[in-house]
Amino acid sequence: MARLTYILKRILQMIPVLFVVIVLIFVMIRLIPGDPARLMLGETAVEADVEALREAMGLNEPYTTQFAIFFKNLLHFDFGNSLLYKTSCIDLVKERLPLTVSLTVVATLFSLLISIPLGFVAGLHKDKASDQAIRISALAAISMPTFWVGLLLMIAFSVKIRIFPAGGWGTTPLEHLQGLILPGIAQALMTAALLMRNLRNSVVDISRMDYVDFAVSKGVSTRRVRSAYIMKNSLISTITLLSTRITYMLGGSVVIETVFSLPGCGKLLVDAIFARDYAMVQCMVFIFALIVLLVSLITDIIYSFIDPRITL
Amino acid sequence: MKRRTTKALSLLLASASILALLAGCGGGGGTAENSNSPAPSDSSAPSGETTYADTIVIGDNTEPKNLDPDQSWGAAEARFSCFVYEGLVREDADGNIIPLLATDWKISEDGTVYTFNLKPDVKFSDGTPVTGEDWIWSLERARDNPESNSRTVASNIVSIEAPDDATLVITLDSPVASFLANCCKWNMVVKSKAHYEAVGAEGFLTQPMGTGPYAVTEWKKGEYIQCVANEYYHVEGQPYTKNLTYKIITDDNTRLLQLQSGDIDIMGMVPVNMMAQIDSDPNLTAAAYTGSQIRFLVINCADEVTGKKEVRQALDYATDKQAIVDMVANGYGKPVSTYVSNIHGDLHNSELADRGPDIEKAKELLTQAGYPDGLTLKINITSGNTIYENIATVLQSQWAAAGISLEIEPLESGTLVESLGAGNYQLTILQWTDSTPDPSDISAYECRYSDSFQWYSGVQDQEIEDAYMATISETDPAKRAELFWTLQELVYERTNIVPLFQADWAYGYSSKIEGISVTPFNKINVAELKKAN
């Protein structure tokens, strides 16, 4: 019950945050030099046509009027039409959001699959050969740029050994999954390395705690010490790190999406910014902000399950 | 301890095997016909006979924003639209105007009335016949739709009449010598009025209906546009290939990988430094086609320093254009000395020659201008554009020999365009690609102050503007050529732009492809494409 109230309270708190985000992005995107009408018609278009288009797009109105119109439509979840694509922004985003979110989910899963076992092994066998090997590979993974890893994976597994498709997403859910594996791994590498280091340090710290010593001397089996005492406690800081990394992966998806030709949101946002597509940028930033807030809410809820000391 | 490690290892092993299972399912990327592309597989051949595939996949780097010719379009849209839409005339591989939906035409004495005889029995891809009403509606829309950025080609049209379905009479408000060339533009095509009324303005953006060799069946935004052969196409037997997939792969490296793995058959917009790699692959062919894309050094004539003609000409003298072609375009192009491309035949002034490289003369001019010890200049270029960056770097090293120190400042494209409009720059690099087989477009841009500040020069040169205005209505070809030659001499003398080089269109395609050709405006002749099995 308390949890439910907490969730509701947090959702209500999101509203003022989102409002501030909206105002900020509205102002910032218009402050950047560059006129959407001119960019749409191209460098080689005549001044008269550019002016006519500005008028038609409603860009000559005062900012307050533009914001009033925008806010009124926002309440109906209507972000207006994209200046570039001429269709409803929210529809365009709805088409592409599933891919970006799936990619982030797949990447998160891969990073957990890689980092949790390896982090534990490294932490429990501190300073032994396995620990050194794992830490060195973590360093290597952090040093490699994502797009380069992506290209290497594509060359190895799509061209030389033809297991995965060379980019693209396919049509059926199975093809979707296949298309997301290589990008997911490329995207996950850095996060996996960071999580692994964090988890390893956590495990090392917790292993030295008094209560672990006490449990061992009490005669608790090694297996139970590891799962109940060490594992649960070390995960907390790792989960915090994971939540910030998810935000980063969501925003940084454009690089992987470009390399693997995935029709996701990242590229949509970057193109919109370059074209000064005000409506689209506002829509996407709002949605990303919403997702980030939701992710942080979910993280807080997970804390409450893992750590009984935390009451919501 | 052992069990912990075993558990971790088994977890890793389990995930690896799931991955392998997934990869194995559905064949993955194993076959040449990738399961990700929605193409039916090709037919098998009895031995001895060449049979052809029923699908060809073209890979391009930019997705069209929409498929309505009367919107703001750019090169990406124009490249695709010729598969679906056609007009009265078109350009051939040498840049000449040839008939398409019009078989022949007559121009009145005073040059204001064009009478076109239309090809009979032409149908849209849904089987409905093309009527005079479709032509009238299409061309009026090309002239009037406010969202279009190509209205000027039709702005002189006063009236369009179709006395019968085989004749079209277009009356202009004054003689416009480039009108026939203007009819090659991407918006001067025939669209189905009935279809527009059925799908509405928004539907028309994604569901085109034209007379071209292919019709769009599916558009998966960000991935591909699927096209099927127009069964009512007006050229017997064409298109040769039943299905065409237009795949959008933004990253150049990924596009090349897909070409090498056979996922795409034709790769467009190949970066010139990849051509050698494609050439050395026995399964691929690298081909370059003459293009109309010219890159220019653009100079601000209102600036204190670059406003001096001697300085501008000195820059031209200090430039070695052939070296730029070799280093930036890998030899895929040629230096040019005048802004009118040589694809425009007689209108191109072939007597004007490159000034450079002549470092001594450059230094002499600089001394005359008051800079005997050299000077520092700044060039602003669009950031992220490798070609512009390379050109700027080469110019920097070439000009250093003449005592000119060049600062290179990249700017984001939106910001750059604003600075140019405000006259807030000294030098920049821009490009122009002709989209009609007549130099009137580029001349208007260079010579009409109200259009573009005379290519951002910031100072109105009335002589050049008047010389340009004279070419608009001169219908006699010999006299018009003379006027254009004079105009080019004036621009050459003024040197507010220095044409650098004309680039080829670089393509890579599977060696199984037959019958491919590309016009100077970068349009592939898809109707004649075949891919051997």
Side-chain angles (χ1 to χ4, degrees), chain A residues 25-192:
Chain A
I25 195 61
F26 182 89
V27 170
M28 288 197 318
I29 190 70
R30 282 168 177 73
L31 284 179
I32 310 177
D35 169 28
R38 160 58 72 187
L39 289 171
M40 210 154 80
L41 294 180
E43 306 159 341
T44 53
V46 297
E47 275 304 310
D49 284 350
V50 175
E51 199 39 56
L53 192 56
R54 279 190 61 89
E55 201 49 58
M57 295 204 289
L59 295 171
N60 281 338
E61 308 264 352
Y63 283 176
T64 36
T65 324
Q66 288 187 44
F67 187 75
I69 299 176
F70 168 66
F71 195 70
K72 192 170 66 113
N73 290 336
L74 182 58
L75 296 175
H76 302 290
F77 286 115
D78 171 19
F79 289 87
N81 279 359
S82 154
L83 297 176
L84 211 50
Y85 294 95
K86 309 251 181 297
T87 46
S88 158
C89 287
I90 195 79
D91 287 341
L92 282 168
V93 174
K94 269 203 290 213
E95 258 176 50
R96 301 203 182 200
L97 198 60
L99 186 139
T100 306
V101 171
S102 318
L103 178 60
T104 310
V105 168
V106 171
T108 309
L109 283 173
F110 274 130
S111 54
L112 286 175
L113 275 172
I114 301 175
S115 64
I116 293 187
L118 293 179
F120 268 117
V121 170
L124 293 170
H125 304 279
K126 176 165 140 62
D127 292 335
K128 303 229 180 72
S130 50
D131 179 32
Q132 307 278 26
I134 290 174
R135 280 160 68 198
I136 291 175
S137 19
L139 188 60
I142 294 176
S143 322
M144 300 197 283
T146 326
F147 71 86
W148 184 65
V149 173
L151 277 174
L152 284 182
L153 286 172
M154 217 194 309
I155 294 178
F157 296 105
S158 306
V159 182
K160 293 276 156 65
I161 319 168
R162 320 272 242 93
I163 328 175
F164 293 106
W169 198 29
T171 35
T172 66
L174 184 63
E175 282 176 357
H176 288 336
L177 213 51
Q178 283 173 333
L180 286 180
I181 289 180
L182 290 182
I185 295 179
Q187 182 87 302
L189 231 46
M190 187 173 300
T191 302

Side-chain angles (χ1 to χ4, degrees), chain B residues 10-304:
Chain B
S10 44
L11 192 62
L12 273 174
L13 270 173
S15 23
S17 39
I18 294 178
L19 275 183
L21 194 68
L22 277 174
C25 277
T31 56
E33 242 66 58
N34 190 324
S35 55
N36 270 356
S37 50
S41 58
D42 39 62
S43 34
S44 55
S47 59
E49 224 178 271
T50 327
T51 54
Y52 295 99
D54 61 5
T55 309
I56 291 185
V57 184
I58 300 179
D60 195 276
N61 69 342
T62 318
E63 185 183 32
K65 293 190 286 290
N66 57 67
L67 296 174
D68 176 356
D70 300 311
Q71 300 290 328
S72 282
W73 272 17
E77 289 79 20
R79 282 200 290 278
F80 181 80
S81 76
C82 58
F83 303 173
V84 178
Y85 281 114
E86 295 178 319
L88 294 161
V89 290
R90 70 175 179 96
E91 75 282 1
D92 68 7
D94 298 316
N96 303 313
I97 302 175
I98 55 175
L100 184 53
L101 291 181
T103 51
D104 53 287
W105 47 87
K106 270 195 310 291
I107 308 176
S108 69
E109 269 298 314
D110 63 354
T112 56
V113 183
Y114 285 70
T115 311
F116 292 93
N117 292 324
L118 301 175
K119 201 169 179 187
D121 299 325
V122 177
K123 301 197 171 74
F124 289 111
S125 52
D126 60 3
T128 56
V130 176
T131 63
E133 222 189 283
D134 289 309
W135 277 107
I136 297 175
W137 175 77
S138 301
L139 296 180
E140 283 181 349
R141 191 167 185 259
R143 179 192 61 189
D144 301 331
N145 200 30
E147 317 257 284
S148 167
N149 62 344
S150 317
R151 285 194 290 161
T152 39
V153 298
S155 56
N156 299 96
I157 298 180
V158 167
S159 74
I160 311 165
E161 275 146 49
D164 53 67
D165 278 346
T167 320
L168 199 63
V169 181
I170 303 182
T171 313
L172 310 175
D173 61 10
S174 59
V176 175
S178 60
F179 185 70
L180 198 62
N182 289 355
C183 290
C184 296
K185 189 104 188 202
W186 61 66
N187 60 340
M188 301 290 274
V189 293
V190 68
K191 310 139 207 156
S192 167
K193 181 172 182 204
H195 178 78
Y196 175 80
E197 277 159 5
V199 301
E202 224 182 285
F204 204 62
L205 294 169
T206 51
Q207 300 163 62
M209 177 61 64
T211 61
Y214 286 93
V216 172
T217 52
E218 191 199 349
W219 183 0
K220 226 155 165 236
K221 289 276 177 78
E223 293 185 64
Y224 60 82
I225 305 177
Q226 184 60 45
C227 310
V228 77
N230 177 0
E231 53 184 294
Y232 303 100
Y233 193 53
H234 57 89
V235 178
E236 193 62 45
Q238 288 185 6
Y240 296 136
T241 307
K242 182 154 185 285
N243 299 298
L244 185 71
T245 312
Y246 195 73
K247 254 178 133 177
I248 292 115
I249 305 151
T250 334
D251 188 78
D252 296 327
N253 295 304
T254 314
R255 211 157 65 254
L256 180 62
L257 283 175
Q258 292 209 8
L259 180 69
Q260 289 170 329
S261 67
D263 289 341
I264 60 175
D265 304 308
I266 301 175
M267 173 178 171
M269 308 302 281
V270 177
V272 287
N273 57 358
M274 287 183 186
M275 289 295 267
Q277 210 180 341
I278 297 178
D279 210 18
S280 61
D281 188 321
N283 298 322
L284 302 176
T285 312
Y289 301 93
T290 312
S292 61
Q293 183 181 44
I294 303 182
R295 292 198 170 77
F296 296 88
L297 175 68
V298 175
I299 312 177
N300 187 354
C301 298
D303 178 84
E304 201 191 313

